[in-house]
Amino acid sequence: LNEGGDMRRIRVAAWMVLGSLFLCSTPFLGETPAVRGESGLIPNSKIDAFKRALEKRGFAVTEKSFRPADVVYLCCNGYIQSCYGNNAGAPYLTFTSKQGTIDVPEEQLMGEQDAMVLVGKTPPPVKYFSYRSYLFSRYDPVNPDRDILFLSLGDTINVDTIKTGAPQGTKPFGQSVIVVSTPDQTTDSLVKAAAEDAGFPGGIVNTDVIPASITQLGQQEPADHFVLLHRLMLPLPGHESEVQAYMDSPPYRAFKITPAGTSRPPKPFPMPKLTPRGTGTNEMDYMPSLQALRAAILAHYPGAATQDLTTGIWINEGMDGLQRNANLLGEVRDTTYLSTSNFTLLDDPNQFVIVYGLNHDLTKKATYSNFSVYGDTLKVGITGKSSPDLYNSACGLIPGDPNQDKFYVFKVARECGGDPSIPCLKIEPSVTCPKLDLNGDLFIAFRAYLEKKTGTGPVWTELLYDRAIKVTLEP
């Protein structure tokens, strides 16, 4: 208290620097909880007993392959016509068949009392996983090709909502699970009874409803085609090798079941209620910090030609696409889909895009968020970054801002150049992709996955939209 003025000013300045460093320290997200899953795989003898119990209840049971589908490889090499807006770097598992040595997604026809059934283990510890059926394509009498809709039919079975039969409070990782995707209530009940007969614990069966009222069911054309997707993303620290092993050898057996010679009438599920998005709490109070970050980015490149890319809603929900007969690219209700307007980029370090915004997980509006760079023609997610990769990346641009730790900034470019002040992501595909033209239209898409308070995705209007600026420097 008796120090001279100069010394006090030095001490105050020191504390301000330390405060800034504290604000930009690695976010404390809570200690990763100890996770103890069930040991080993479900014995095949137990799954075989389940299969026999289904046959005893009047079903013909056909075993299917349930494998990873490398979407980028498949569309880049002509096995599928589009990459369907894949989340760059995210794995997908689905019913597959072989084309040569390649696992290709297999569409399913679904009768009124049919089901797709998975028996296996949930993933090792990850930020997110889910299971969901999709209406993939629909017959069009005026179009020789089927209409691709690829839209979800309701809520997901996800990391926050899944039932594994484990005691309350048990983490949902590495647990035994059965998923039954069906339009029929009786079929669902019979699958649960067969699981109980085979010795599976109560509450292990998770029902994924295919709503009969909005789908065209049947075991022959021109019925709708369906797929079932299993998503997972971001291994928790220390579990990377376990997740890789899970993908290399998925611990599932999959079945398509159909009534065999029975005459029971169908009992269709009604359209399930959808979990409402949103909590009423939004991110708009962070707008001044976002505007300050934009101004700092522009000031960082004095004399450059800049263009703000407009961010808006990219993909809406399944029931929207159904009513417009629109391709929704395999969307899921557990996230939001925003995207920028299209742009082109030279293969030149003097031209790039600066992506910036909030880490929505740090505002508790999402479990994790990310951005991906897309080639528009193939709808291919080329590369991207998730929120843990983005922490503290804006601190150097808005030092002293009270929200600096919650924002990110990243450069994306075809050639990064030598400026180390802003981290750079090079735009290059994960596999050789001769059909991808990097001179063509590109765009940035943003996802914010799973708001914990609701167990589904946040609502778009409660998020502060992520942004992007195209920058061209003078040579």
Side-chain angles (χ1 to χ4, degrees):
L1 292 176
N2 295 320
E3 293 171 341
D6 289 343
M7 182 59 69
R8 283 197 298 271
R9 282 191 289 272
I10 290 170
R11 287 183 177 272
V12 168
W15 279 111
M16 288 177 67
V17 171
L18 287 172
S20 177
L21 291 172
F22 176 76
L23 283 171
C24 280
S25 61
T26 301
F28 178 71
L29 302 179
E31 184 179 353
T32 301
V35 178
R36 187 185 300 276
E38 299 173 353
S39 60
L41 301 175
I42 300 174
N44 277 324
S45 58
K46 192 171 185 177
I47 301 176
D48 289 338
F50 173 57
K51 181 179 176 182
R52 290 192 298 271
L54 289 170
E55 292 169 339
K56 183 179 178 181
R57 283 169 170 76
F59 291 103
V61 182
T62 303
E63 189 141 6
K64 296 285 186 177
S65 174
F66 191 74
R67 295 283 304 163
D70 187 338
V71 177
V72 176
Y73 176 87
L74 291 172
C75 83
C76 284
N77 290 278
Y79 290 93
I80 56 179
Q81 66 185 45
S82 168
C83 289
Y84 300 109
N86 64 292
N87 192 355
Y92 301 87
L93 291 88
T94 188
F95 282 62
T96 62
S97 57
K98 289 286 188 185
Q99 289 191 23
T101 60
I102 305 301
D103 290 305
V104 178
E106 182 182 81
E107 301 164 34
Q108 305 295 319
L109 290 163
M110 296 293 294
E112 293 178 307
Q113 300 169 59
D114 291 358
M116 295 179 281
V117 181
L118 295 179
V119 187
K121 296 275 190 168
T122 58
V126 291
K127 276 281 189 182
Y128 172 83
F129 70 81
S130 68
Y131 307 83
R132 178 66 248 179
S133 59
Y134 289 81
L135 196 173
F136 182 75
S137 67
R138 175 161 281 180
Y139 172 75
D140 184 345
V142 300
N143 185 349
D145 298 320
R146 297 177 65 88
D147 293 335
I148 305 298
L149 301 182
F150 206 175
L151 54 86
S152 67
L153 294 167
D155 286 344
T156 65
I157 301 161
N158 66 40
V159 63
D160 285 349
T161 62
I162 195 165
K163 299 181 295 184
T164 65
Q168 187 175 5
T170 303
K171 298 294 179 181
F173 308 117
Q175 300 290 330
S176 298
V177 68
I178 296 175
V179 175
V180 53
S181 182
T182 182
D184 189 69
Q185 297 181 61
T186 303
T187 295
D188 182 58
S189 297
L190 292 172
V191 171
K192 290 175 179 175
E196 186 176 346
D197 285 354
F200 286 99
I204 196 173
V205 180
N206 293 260
T207 304
D208 168 69
V209 173
I210 297 176
S213 59
I214 60 171
T215 52
Q216 298 170 12
L217 302 170
Q219 295 176 359
Q220 296 180 345
E221 302 289 4
D224 290 341
H225 291 189
F226 299 87
V227 294
L228 178 67
L229 286 188
H230 173 31
R231 287 173 160 91
L232 59 147
M233 192 62 184
L234 289 184
L236 297 186
H239 297 276
E240 294 83 0
S241 60
E242 294 172 61
V243 173
Q244 186 59 57
Y246 179 88
M247 293 303 302
D248 290 341
S249 184
Y252 292 95
R253 287 177 63 184
F255 306 98
K256 172 77 178 296
I257 66 172
T258 302
T262 61
S263 58
R264 62 177 173 85
K267 187 180 179 182
F269 278 107
M271 180 69 198
K273 293 181 179 180
L274 299 178
T275 302
R277 292 177 182 254
T279 64
T281 300
N282 63 50
E283 297 175 336
M284 295 306 119
D285 280 342
Y286 293 100
M287 183 69 81
S289 296
L290 182 72
Q291 292 170 337
L293 180 56
R294 177 184 178 273
I297 292 167
L298 296 178
H300 191 73
Y301 299 107
T306 61
Q307 176 191 358
D308 287 286
L309 304 174
T310 302
T311 299
I313 295 174
W314 175 28
I315 309 171
N316 213 314
E317 293 194 8
M319 297 307 101
D320 166 74
L322 182 80
Q323 296 181 86
R324 294 188 295 111
N325 207 50
N327 183 355
L328 293 197
L329 304 174
E331 48 70 46
V332 66
R333 293 197 75 241
D334 287 346
T335 191
T336 53
Y337 297 92
L338 301 172
S339 70
T340 69
S341 49
N342 284 0
F343 59 89
T344 58
L345 276 184
L346 299 174
D347 189 7
D348 183 334
N350 289 318
Q351 191 171 83
F352 47 85
V353 169
I354 299 294
V355 185
Y356 66 103
L358 270 177
N359 270 315
H360 303 289
D361 56 337
L362 299 181
T363 67
K364 308 301 182 186
K365 295 301 290 182
T367 298
Y368 87 93
S369 53
N370 68 4
F371 74 81
S372 295
V373 184
Y374 282 84
D376 184 52
T377 301
L378 289 178
K379 296 295 185 288
V380 52
I382 304 169
T383 188
K385 287 289 183 180
S386 292
S387 45
D389 302 319
L390 305 175
Y391 294 149
N392 300 329
S393 53
C395 292
L397 287 171
I398 48 173
D401 187 290
N403 300 312
Q404 62 181 310
D405 59 320
K406 292 184 173 62
F407 281 85
Y408 74 89
V409 60
F410 230 88
K411 179 194 297 185
V412 296
R414 294 177 62 186
E415 179 55 55
C416 281
D419 177 12
S421 60
I422 295 177
C424 183
L425 175 65
K426 186 174 181 179
I427 302 173
E428 53 185 352
S430 58
V431 299
T432 301
C433 192
K435 297 174 69 175
L436 173 63
D437 179 12
L438 289 179
N439 292 311
D441 282 344
L442 307 172
F443 65 93
I444 310 290
F446 307 97
R447 290 168 169 85
Y449 260 92
L450 206 60
E451 189 166 12
K452 286 290 185 180
K453 288 185 177 180
T454 62
T456 192
V459 65
W460 294 262
T461 52
E462 290 182 359
L463 298 179
L464 190 59
Y465 287 6
D466 302 69
R467 310 290 179 89
I469 302 171
K470 181 178 174 181
V471 179
T472 304
L473 303 178
E474 294 184 359

